[in-house]
Amino acid sequence: MNAPVDVTNIRIETDRLILRPWRQEDLDDFYEYARVDGVGQMAGWHPHESIEKSQAILDGFIRDKKTFALELKDSGKVIGSLGLEAKDEGLDIPEELQGREIGYVLSKDYWGRGLMPEAVKAVIDYCFSVLGFDYLLCGHYDWNRQSRRVIEKCGFRFLKKVAHETRLGTTEQVRLYILYNPEKAR
Ligand SMILES: CC(C)(COP(=O)(O)OP(=O)(O)OC[C@H]1O[C@@H](n2cnc3c(N)ncnc32)[C@H](O)[C@@H]1OP(=O)(O)O)[C@@H](O)C(=O)NCCC(=O)NCCS
């Protein structure tokens, strides 16, 4: 079952980041990283060709209340997103267990500094300790070694391979991983 989620009043602080709901004022920062070639494709979407595209996606983030903005503490700049997405059907996870699938994107300018593992670990901790989720999922396209490393660093275990239809009109093989809440007996 998909765990209910609403990030409206959530603020998570890590050493270098603040995770908080998206705001309309984040539009320029969002477009700045979402327009860069080679970023969105790794998560299944085209680089944004206009600020109007970013505006439409930003409106969705604000409306759906399931995606955090990643704000750099030292500059206040928004450099990425982390969403708690509905999981795919047919994963053989007992229906009574509640969880979500983590998805993320980071501005290319900030790759390789361990920022996304820092954000993901903080969200895992929040979802398990505060929201009481039973599990979290995370996945990457077969060839996306960068995302694979994030998932490994955060302690997820391989679950299965699934086919995924992307917004680019392609089908990708996704390696899906799971992490169970250690505070809950199973
Ligand atoms: C996946 C992503 C979030 C990783 O975030 P990050 O904060 O850079 O993560 P890390 O710093 O832990 O680096 C992860 C791996 O990326 C690779 N990497 C680091 N810097 C890199 C760079 N500048 N260019 C290419 N690869 C790089 C390294 O292999 C690193 O693994 P290592 O630490 O074992 O050497 C980021 O690469 C990204 O936003 N990619 C585009 C969107 C995407 O793939 N989203 C996930 C969809 S499943």
Side-chain angles (χ1 to χ4, degrees):
M1 196 188 315
N2 287 307
V5 70
D6 180 348
V7 302
T8 309
N9 294 311
I10 301 179
R11 185 180 189 277
I12 303 172
E13 222 178 287
T14 70
D15 282 350
R16 293 173 289 175
L17 297 168
I18 295 167
L19 280 68
R20 47 113 176 131
W22 281 88
R23 306 173 187 138
Q24 287 296 346
E25 309 88 88
D26 300 325
L27 179 61
D28 288 343
D29 288 346
F30 183 31
Y31 180 50
E32 188 177 319
Y33 76 76
R35 70 200 293 256
V36 175
D37 191 33
V39 178
Q41 292 98 325
M42 293 170 70
W45 46 270
H46 290 288
H48 293 184
E49 69 285 355
S50 68
I51 198 159
E52 287 74 24
K53 176 72 183 179
S54 297
Q55 178 71 70
I57 304 289
L58 175 62
D59 289 344
F61 286 163
I62 293 172
R63 184 188 58 235
D64 296 340
K65 303 180 175 65
K66 58 182 172 61
T67 303
F68 292 104
L70 271 51
E71 180 184 314
L72 254 192
K73 267 186 184 173
D74 66 6
S75 64
K77 194 177 180 68
V78 171
I79 58 162
S81 73
L82 190 157
L84 292 168
E85 310 296 339
K87 70 173 182 65
D88 287 341
E89 300 297 321
L91 291 178
D92 303 328
I93 300 168
E95 192 51 26
E96 67 274 15
L97 298 185
Q98 295 207 348
R100 288 255 160 188
E101 180 172 343
I102 291 181
Y104 44 70
V105 172
L106 187 70
S107 162
K108 209 175 201 174
D109 293 344
Y110 296 88
W111 287 1
R113 303 182 194 182
L115 282 163
M116 196 53 80
E118 186 174 314
V120 173
K121 283 177 192 168
V123 168
I124 291 170
D125 189 44
Y126 192 89
C127 287
F128 286 171
S129 305
V130 182
L131 301 179
F133 283 19
D134 296 296
Y135 67 87
L136 282 163
L137 297 162
C138 202
H140 64 82
Y141 296 157
D142 227 0
W143 46 266
N144 188 345
R145 193 182 164 278
Q146 291 164 234
S147 184
R148 179 179 183 146
R149 288 296 298 134
V150 174
I151 292 168
E152 288 170 349
K153 289 176 195 183
C154 294
F156 285 85
R157 297 292 153 88
F158 178 70
L159 182 64
K160 69 193 296 190
K161 236 177 175 182
V162 292
H164 176 71
E165 310 288 328
T166 76
R167 275 168 260 174
L168 302 168
T170 54
T171 303
E172 293 282 359
Q173 294 301 312
V174 174
R175 287 177 62 85
L176 200 60
Y177 301 73
I178 193 161
L179 186 62
Y180 285 103
N181 186 345
E183 290 168 27
K184 292 203 165 188
R186 285 199 305 122

